[in-house]
Amino acid sequence: MSLELLELPVLPDASSGHPCDGCQSGCCRSFVVPLSLGDIVRIARGTGLSFWDFAVRWDDSEGKIARGQVPHFHFEDEPQTPFVIGLKHVESQTFSGATRCRFLAEAAEGATCGIYEHRPMACRIFPATSVDDVLKIASIPQFGRPGNDPAYRLCGRQWRLDDIDWSEKQAEFEQCREEMALMRLLAERWNREPGDWLFFPEFLNAIWQRIAA
């Protein structure tokens, strides 16, 4: 993958600090975080939690989650529905009516990632994006969901080139791409004969045992 740096305009109300300054973790409330097999293994090992404690299947009939980058899985109870495997959301304790990633730790002084050392690759590469295998800074909207609900307010300003360690980001992006390539292979295998959602973790574990052997 080549590395191209694309400078984007800064929002009018941009501060001179880091884009995360004053962050209320709107991205962790707005978006579904897709999981790779590697993500699932790292989170399970790092937290001691089971697959069912943090992963769910998200209906992605409109393709807004996968966006052509993440594979869809089908299951025998809803064979026509394309699902993305991602982190679970739960009710926010800070913003009434909003949801949050189940690992977002909310507190009076703000919110932090409860699994930062084990966070998924999709979180690690943010706010980078790939266009025709070129790594760029993604343009971040003001809100992660329609409207102006403060729960879904995103970065205080657009990211700049000097906000990012590009050598680290490129390595993370390469790893993410490799892991999602494997996830696509798993989806192809699973979707040949869609099975029961309840057996899906066993399928993943069997694959991982083969890889790790």
Side-chain angles (χ1 to χ4, degrees):
M1 177 183 292
S2 59
L3 179 62
E4 177 178 321
L5 307 184
L6 178 64
E7 182 73 84
L8 294 172
V10 176
L11 295 176
D13 60 346
S15 68
S16 59
H18 192 273
C20 294
D21 288 351
C23 177
Q24 282 290 340
S25 303
C27 53
C28 304
R29 307 174 198 279
S30 299
F31 306 128
V32 172
V33 176
L35 295 171
S36 68
L37 177 56
D39 291 330
I40 292 168
V41 171
R42 285 188 293 271
I43 293 172
R45 288 181 174 178
T47 64
L49 298 174
S50 75
F51 175 88
W52 300 115
D53 290 323
F54 60 84
V56 294
R57 59 179 187 176
W58 290 86
D59 184 334
D60 192 32
S61 298
E62 297 183 4
K64 292 183 178 180
I65 301 173
R67 297 185 181 277
Q69 303 296 316
V70 178
H72 284 139
F73 288 84
H74 297 265
F75 299 92
E76 62 181 12
D77 61 322
E78 296 186 50
Q80 302 305 315
T81 303
F83 288 99
V84 165
I85 310 304
L87 286 180
K88 181 184 297 186
H89 269 219
V90 297
E91 184 177 354
S92 170
Q93 300 302 307
T94 302
F95 295 96
S96 178
T99 65
R100 61 174 173 85
C101 168
R102 65 93 68 221
F103 288 118
L104 183 66
E106 296 179 309
E109 62 276 12
T112 57
C113 176
I115 56 165
Y116 189 78
E117 296 300 320
H118 315 295
R119 67 195 187 282
M121 295 308 303
C123 301
R124 292 176 184 273
I125 65 174
F126 182 87
T129 186
S130 176
V131 179
D132 296 328
D133 285 338
V134 175
L135 194 60
K136 299 182 178 181
I137 297 176
S139 179
I140 310 298
Q142 188 173 11
F143 293 90
R145 294 191 188 182
N148 58 357
D149 189 324
Y152 306 118
R153 182 181 292 276
L154 300 182
C155 312
R157 64 165 171 81
Q158 288 289 355
W159 290 69
R160 297 193 293 248
L161 302 184
D162 58 0
D163 293 319
I164 297 173
D165 180 339
W166 283 100
S167 60
E168 179 181 356
K169 194 66 65 177
Q170 185 170 23
E172 291 173 335
F173 211 99
E174 289 287 358
Q175 182 178 348
C176 181
R177 187 169 68 164
E178 291 175 2
E179 291 192 9
M180 277 304 165
L182 172 60
M183 204 65 171
R184 282 191 288 273
L185 291 176
L186 299 187
E188 290 177 8
R189 173 64 184 87
W190 175 268
N191 291 337
R192 291 173 195 165
E193 296 181 28
D196 192 316
W197 168 236
L198 293 177
F199 297 138
F200 188 67
E202 295 180 20
F203 166 75
L204 295 181
N205 185 60
I207 297 296
W208 181 253
Q209 293 302 321
R210 293 180 187 179
I211 294 174

